[in-house]
């Protein structure tokens, strides 16, 4: 993983936007973080895979990948999810979304996560464990920054960590779009 000052340019409604930071992975995935519109510190997360279009991740993306990893190695994935849940519980709204602040958030989250034994999870699902971890963390900060009392991310984690997983309710929560 390599974090650098943003270079990705997207054009929306005739206006060009340059990313704040770009996070590059050796396996051809990239995460881009852009300035959002909801508040001065709001962020918009996008990602792409080499040769494919840029996408805006939704909860359902990381949930489906997590479910696949749970099927592959339940014990290890639950350990992974408990680390993410602890970070969710300690997550606070962003007070800055510049290159330094976003880099620090990513680096700090990765420090509490000794991921070498999590590489086994790469056999299952679409995403590598470190990509998934960073993506989830950026999404949790986005959610908390936009609404400090946000609960959806945490509710999904709690559902995934139950002994008996109800896939239909998890997908329903993750796919909720406020309509």
């Amino acid at each position: 993983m390599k974090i650098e000052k943003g270079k990705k340019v997207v054009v929306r409604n005739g206006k060009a936007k340059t990313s704040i930071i770009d996070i590059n992975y050796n396996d051809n995935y990239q995460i881009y973080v852009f300035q959002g519109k909801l508040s001065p510190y709001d962020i918009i997360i996008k990602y792409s895979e080499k040769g494919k279009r840029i996408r805006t991740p939704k909860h359902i993306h990381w949930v489906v990948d997590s479910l696949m990893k749970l099927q592959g190695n339940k014990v290890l994935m639950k350990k992974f999810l408990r680390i993410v849940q602890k970070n969710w519980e300690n997550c606070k709204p962003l007070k800055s979304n510049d290159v330094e602040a976003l880099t620090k958030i990513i680096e700090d989250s990765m420090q509490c996560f000794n991921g070498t034994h999590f590489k086994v999870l790469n056999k299952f699902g679409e995403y590598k464990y470190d990509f998934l971890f960073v993506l989830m963390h950026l999404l949790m900060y986005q959610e908390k920054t936009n609404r400090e009392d946000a609960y959806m991310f945490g509710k999904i984690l709690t559902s995934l960590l139950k002994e008996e997983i109800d896939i239909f309710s998890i997908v329903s929560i993750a796919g909720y779009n406020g309509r």
Side-chain angles (χ1 to χ4, degrees), residues 73-89:
N73 191 324
K74 187 176 185 178
V75 172
L76 193 57
M77 188 58 187
K78 287 205 179 219
K79 185 175 180 180
F80 178 95
L81 291 170
R82 280 191 292 277
I83 292 169
V84 174
Q85 184 179 47
K86 184 176 181 190
N87 290 348
W88 165 255
E89 291 165 358

Side-chain angles (χ1 to χ4, degrees), residues 8-120:
K8 181 67 174 178
V9 176
V10 295
V11 178
R12 183 120 170 132
N13 299 327
K15 292 184 180 184
K17 264 186 158 177
T18 303
S19 56
I20 301 167
I21 64 168
D22 298 347
I23 307 160
N24 297 296
Y25 292 86
N26 292 337
D27 63 354
N28 297 322
Y29 272 103
Q30 295 83 34
I31 297 175
Y32 310 105
V33 181
F34 294 88
Q35 174 65 49
K37 295 179 184 178
L38 298 178
S39 73
Y41 306 127
D42 181 30
I43 57 174
I44 295 176
I45 302 142
K46 298 196 176 278
Y47 76 97
S48 66
E49 184 179 6
K50 189 175 183 176
K52 296 186 180 179
R53 68 179 180 86
I54 194 167
R55 301 176 186 278
T56 302
K58 308 278 189 266
H59 287 313
I60 196 72
H61 296 138
W62 66 263
V63 167
V64 169
D65 195 71
S66 295
L67 287 167
M68 293 171 75
K69 286 175 173 36
L70 280 165
Q71 285 292 312
N73 191 324
K74 187 176 185 178
V75 172
L76 193 57
M77 188 58 187
K78 287 205 179 219
K79 185 175 180 180
F80 178 95
L81 291 170
R82 280 191 292 277
I83 292 169
V84 174
Q85 184 179 47
K86 184 176 181 190
N87 290 348
W88 165 255
E89 291 165 358
N90 295 319
C91 181
K92 303 286 184 224
L94 294 172
K95 296 194 186 297
S96 176
N97 66 1
D98 60 17
V99 175
E100 293 78 22
L102 294 172
T103 300
K104 182 170 175 28
I105 285 168
I106 294 163
E107 289 175 347
D108 287 353
S109 68
M110 292 300 286
Q111 279 183 2
C112 74
F113 172 76
N114 180 3
T116 54
H117 62 289
F118 287 104
K119 284 184 180 179
V120 171

